[in-house]
Amino acid sequence: MIDGKKVLFSGMQATGNLTLGNYIGALKNWLTLADDYECFYSVVDMHSITVRQDPAELRSRARKLLTLYIAAGLDPKKNCIYYQSHVSGHAELSWILNCFTYMGELNRMTQFKDKSAKHADNINAGLYTYPVLMAADILLYQTDVVPVGKDQLQHLEITRDIAQRFNAIYGDVFTIPEPFIGKTGAKIMSLQDPTKKMSKSDENLNASIYLMDDKDTIIRKFKRAVTDSEGIIAYNDTQAGIHNLIDIYCACTNKTPDEVVKEFEGKGYGDFKLAVGESVADLLTPLQNKFFELEKDKAYIDGIIKENGEKANYYATKTIRKVQKKVGFPERIR
């Protein structure tokens, strides 16, 4: 805990462009947490290089992601918004935790199997030990709670296992993190395949709405969204495409599915798709305007990077020094 508040940690990779799904499912829901938690939100650029990146593009995307955090409404005075690579403790703790993680545990990680299949020409050790770096991210700040979806629950479980193993040997060094169960946004699915989650890595650009898409692009993508031949706007599991569009419309307008079905009773898919597209554009326009405003203020963003990086380093160093002493590293002479 920090100043009487439990610690919450989360982060996003600086690869691809954030989608509407990232915003509704996660980022939008982070905005209210600072009153109850000491929040650390990282741009996890170290994780990004398990796949080859263009250096200039990675730097650009990392800065844009950090700026988007703020444009979305995260107050950098209340939340610690920082680059993972600017806090050396992530790498230092990751190495130590590697020595307390078993090969069998890493062999069971599904993400390694999935990414290895996608990047068969670059199956590197970083990809294999990715979960250990994620554990270090979390344990470094004595994190109490971590917002996770089902696809990342496995990583939190191995984090807990590593922390409990370390604590069993050296005493209560790490806080054992719990999954954060709070308000979650709707799960937003692909516009081209509504059985799959909307993804920023989807090769089909029409499948995802990106946070910086302009209104014309948003409307065009929704016009092309996959629906069905039923011709009825109903909220049920048999009409996956319409179900997804209703979820999106509800998230943008704060209406219930029943209200949406009633609103569009007797209307066609074309009218509904247009209305959903316009509601998304209305939701994203203020965020986009704020992003462009912040992007021009280089000194302000640089100041946040410096100030928040120093704050993250302060808390990370407290944990690192304790861990180094426990494992027997020589004391540093200051």
Side-chain angles (χ1 to χ4, degrees):
M1 299 184 76
I2 297 176
D3 296 331
K5 287 184 179 180
K6 287 186 175 182
V7 176
L8 180 147
F9 175 89
S10 193
M12 294 184 183
Q13 281 205 48
T15 53
N17 296 305
L18 290 192
T19 70
L20 180 68
N22 297 131
Y23 181 64
I24 292 174
L27 189 51
K28 188 179 177 184
N29 299 305
W30 291 356
L31 305 184
T32 60
L33 298 176
D35 291 336
D36 299 317
Y37 297 93
E38 187 69 35
C39 300
F40 290 81
Y41 295 119
S42 182
V43 174
V44 289
D45 47 353
M46 290 170 66
H47 284 293
S48 301
I49 64 170
T50 58
V51 176
R52 293 286 176 264
Q53 304 292 334
D54 175 86
E57 187 173 316
L58 179 60
R59 275 190 290 272
S60 175
R61 287 189 186 279
R63 189 178 180 94
K64 285 181 179 178
L65 178 54
L66 186 142
T67 305
L68 268 174
Y69 280 172
I70 302 164
L74 288 176
D75 186 345
K77 294 294 184 183
K78 294 181 178 179
N79 304 277
C80 188
I81 302 168
Y82 72 101
Y83 293 136
Q84 180 190 30
S85 62
H86 283 195
V87 180
S88 61
H90 286 270
E92 290 184 65
L93 184 57
S94 180
W95 170 250
I96 295 172
L97 296 183
N98 267 316
C99 301
F100 293 84
T101 305
Y102 298 134
M103 297 280 285
E105 292 173 312
L106 295 177
N107 288 337
R108 290 193 292 272
M109 294 291 106
T110 56
Q111 192 172 58
F112 173 70
K113 297 172 185 175
D114 294 342
K115 285 201 171 185
S116 295
K118 291 179 181 177
H119 305 281
D121 60 334
N122 182 28
I123 303 175
N124 56 74
L127 192 60
Y128 185 64
T129 60
Y130 181 104
V132 185
L133 178 56
M134 186 174 285
D137 298 338
I138 296 166
L139 299 177
L140 193 59
Y141 301 100
Q142 302 296 341
T143 300
D144 294 282
V145 292
V146 183
V148 289
K150 288 183 180 179
D151 56 336
Q152 289 194 319
L153 195 56
Q154 191 183 40
H155 285 141
L156 184 59
E157 288 170 355
I158 194 174
T159 297
R160 288 170 53 84
D161 290 342
I162 295 168
Q164 288 166 345
R165 184 175 302 133
F166 194 95
N167 285 357
I169 300 170
Y170 298 109
D172 292 330
V173 178
F174 294 121
T175 300
I176 307 301
E178 299 286 344
F180 175 72
I181 308 298
K183 180 182 177 183
T184 56
K187 187 176 181 180
I188 305 303
M189 312 304 282
S190 162
L191 297 184
Q192 293 300 307
D193 182 357
T195 64
K196 295 192 322 186
K197 191 176 176 182
M198 185 178 285
S199 170
K200 60 182 181 177
S201 61
D202 201 311
E203 293 181 2
N204 185 344
L205 298 180
N206 289 315
S208 302
I209 300 296
Y210 301 108
L211 294 192
M212 300 311 294
D213 279 348
D214 60 40
K215 184 172 183 176
D216 288 344
T217 300
I218 291 170
I219 298 296
R220 174 176 51 78
K221 287 183 178 181
F222 274 105
K223 284 182 177 179
R224 295 177 178 178
V226 169
T227 51
D228 53 57
S229 58
E230 295 287 328
I232 299 171
I233 298 170
Y235 194 66
N236 57 60
D237 293 335
T238 61
Q239 292 177 267
I242 293 298
H243 190 291
N244 186 40
L245 294 181
I246 291 175
D247 280 339
I248 293 171
Y249 192 67
C250 288
C252 294
T253 63
N254 293 318
K255 294 179 180 179
T256 66
D258 287 343
E259 289 172 334
V260 176
V261 170
K262 187 174 181 180
E263 179 182 349
F264 290 94
E265 187 177 359
K267 294 185 180 179
Y269 287 173
D271 291 337
F272 182 46
K273 287 180 179 182
L274 179 60
V276 178
E278 289 179 339
S279 72
V280 170
D282 290 343
L283 177 73
L284 296 184
T285 296
L287 180 151
Q288 293 172 354
N289 291 341
K290 184 64 176 178
F291 173 84
F292 291 130
E293 177 188 330
L294 290 168
E295 195 176 39
K296 293 176 183 176
D297 196 342
K298 185 177 183 298
Y300 173 70
I301 297 298
D302 285 348
I304 289 170
I305 291 169
K306 182 176 185 298
E307 183 179 328
N308 280 204
E310 289 173 350
K311 178 180 178 180
N313 264 300
Y314 170 77
Y315 288 107
T317 299
K318 291 175 72 171
T319 297
I320 281 293
R321 294 291 178 262
K322 184 189 296 186
V323 171
Q324 289 172 334
K325 183 177 181 180
K326 289 291 186 180
V327 299
F329 289 170
E331 186 177 348
R332 300 192 184 195
I333 308 300
R334 294 177 178 82

